Amino acid sequence: MVDIQNLSKCFKVGNDDLWAIKNVSMHIDKGEIFGIIGLSGAGKSTLIRCLNRLEEPTEGRVIIDGTDITSLGKKELRTTRKNIGMIFQHFNLLMQKTTYENIALPLELIGASKKEIESRVNALLEYVGLEDKRNVYPSQLSGGQKQRVAIARALANNPKILLSDEATSALDPQTTKSILDLLSRIRDELGLTIIMITHQIEVVKDICDRVAIMENGEIVEISTVEELFKRPKSKTARAFINSLSSDIQEEFIKPAEFKGCILRLSFWGDIVKKPIVSHMVKRFDIDVNILSGNISQLMSTSAGHLIVELTGSDEEIQAAIDYLKAHDVEVEVM
Amino acid sequence: MLELLIPSLLQTLYMVFFSTLFSLILGFPMGILLVITEKGSIWEKPTLYRILDGIINILRSFPFLILMILLFPLSRLIVGKTIGTTATIVPLSIAAAPFVARVIESSLKEVDRGVIELGHSIGATVPQIIFKILIPEAMPSLIMGVTLTIINLIGYSAMAGAIGGGGLGDLAIRYGLYRFQTDVMVVSVIVIVLLVQGIQYTGNKLASKISKK
């Protein structure tokens, strides 16, 4: 369905060449949900934008459903884009248009009649479960509802492919789940091929069939999701999977079961190397019980997470929290 | 007093109305062109952008009175005379057009780049992006821009009064300043102040009414 051949993209930064994607090749099957995961700056956003040429690739070819996208002229490209739906991290809804008008926009552009638009938009509203939000403006919708509008809009022209650019990154975990459910329903019922880029391993785990791991503009690993979790080959893949396991630990900690104040501390960069918790214990009249903790080695920095229980007087605990905050530690009271 | 005030007020309204209209007709397309021809925009034409940008800067750096005198020949060509309310509309419109271009430019630039990207992703043409996405999204801000233009033109038209344009500015100078009729001056200034307040208020109301953000 989608064939990416030796795709590269170079940005000029002053006099330097910055290769955002380097020689990427992969094949995505019809009806597949294909994930591309990587940390920010890995080039995944550029890669997905090269597929419908929102970014012009510097080298290589993209062949979608037998059409060489990279060789199309402007007019043909516009026609082809109508068959490629796209959804975005920040939804990209028109704020001055209602839900209905937003979904109708792609149909208006192709000159569909009022009647056609009406019946298509109504069907889409029903499909994404927003019939009651028909005449509401985006500012009155929740993040999940906004993404549903954007999905309905992306489906308006009956595309064969849906590109998802971090579609769930701005959403909370529960909403993310409902959007992912909608996307897999779209694949199952409408037979769309979905290519999604994300930095959330949960997304890959929940709905992708196969996944490519991207790092510094290159694909370092392509495998089925199952294989990835069983035998991650690249370092990046292992880091992603580890990040998932620490999240699971956190769910087991129920603040109500503890007497003291449960804090989640996050810190990165140089603070990771400093004995900040030890300093805190010496300075304030409190006890610290470490419940969970890890330090993940990310690309350029280290990030630490600790879940601790503090016991002591309220004043001392507050002072300790202020002390942590003053030392650039993110403190979240659970 | 009233028999002095009413004709002057009408002259001011007449000048401001038509010069707003013509400056929008001239400036609006320029503002759109500025936005779309800029480097990295939807219809990149760097040379055209630089030329337009240069012309607008030059026109805007002229003090209005000088520009008005320089444009006397043009007024004569278009309306057949250089003095009077109708004649003044010509330099007023031309002086305000580059201002309008900048106001429109900055309004359109406020539109989130994401929706422009969306336009490309659904296969919109450049005119479709301009008329179906950019302008509707910028509408509240455009209304504020037009309000600003009208108020600016009230100020300009008062100045134009000094060199034979008529209107409230002319009244304030001729009666208030030259004939020492302070009351006429005070009243004309009050009317101008009320006019500006009223227009600003209406503009604000209208913009916030149509803004769905």
Side-chain angles (χ1 to χ4, degrees), chain A residues 121-136:
Chain A
V121 175
N122 285 340
L124 287 163
L125 278 169
E126 195 192 318
Y127 194 78
V128 299
L130 288 177
E131 300 102 312
D132 55 330
K133 302 289 177 194
R134 185 190 152 102
N135 297 318
V136 163

Side-chain angles (χ1 to χ4, degrees), chain B residues 3 9 28 59 100 116 146 168:
Chain B
E3 69 277 6
L9 176 62
F28 206 99
L59 281 174
V100 170
I116 297 166
V146 173
L168 289 166

